[in-house]
Amino acid sequence: MNGEMAPIGEADLHGYVDGQLDDARRAAVEAYLAANPAAAERVTAYRRQNEMLRGRFDPVLAEPLPPRLASRRRPMPLLRVAAVAGWMVLGGAAGWALRGADHAGQSYSMALAERAAVAHAVYTPEVRHPVEVGADQETHLVQWLSKRLGTPLRVPH
């Protein structure tokens, strides 16, 4: 970059209010606020909002934790550990048993080849394929589909 800073945005104003900017960016925001009274007014409103939130919620931060939350976590009962282990074993066994069960015993490549052969048998005999039939030739497409399916079709408009 050529040394120019990015324009001051909303994130910079919030960072300025929260004290999260480095020295160079803070100085740039202060110069921007001196030149833009509307932005300075927004920053003042953001500071007031922060003060109201702190006044409302800081006492909650000072409250002690309820005893049920402050107690140490109890170790998991043996029955839960056994249930988790059982579900893991069951899932592993099911995955192992079903590892070759794609396409009713066929391998994926065989199923893909079969689908390709069916598509070839359906579309090759045609001179004009359905994808080449325009919307203006609806009657032709309906007749072709009716012939292919072996039953007359009634297509809704």
Side-chain angles (χ1 to χ4, degrees), residues 45-126:
Y46 295 156
R47 285 189 171 138
R48 273 192 305 241
Q49 183 182 37
N50 280 351
E51 289 169 10
M52 287 187 323
L53 288 170
R54 283 190 192 99
R56 174 70 175 100
F57 294 110
D58 277 357
V60 175
L61 291 175
E63 290 177 1
L65 279 176
R68 64 184 170 87
L69 294 178
S71 66
R72 290 194 113 34
R73 188 180 173 131
R74 288 173 271 148
M76 193 179 283
L78 185 58
L79 186 58
R80 279 193 187 168
V81 173
V84 168
W87 280 112
M88 290 177 67
V89 168
L90 183 64
W96 182 259
L98 296 173
R99 71 185 182 284
D102 56 303
H103 297 290
Q106 295 179 348
S107 70
Y108 180 73
S109 58
M110 289 301 293
L112 185 62
E114 183 180 335
R115 290 170 64 192
V118 168
H120 178 76
V122 168
Y123 294 112
T124 311
E126 297 301 320

Side-chain angles (χ1 to χ4, degrees), residues 22-36:
D22 60 30
D23 293 336
R25 196 62 178 172
R26 187 179 64 250
V29 169
E30 287 171 349
Y32 174 79
L33 293 174
N36 294 292

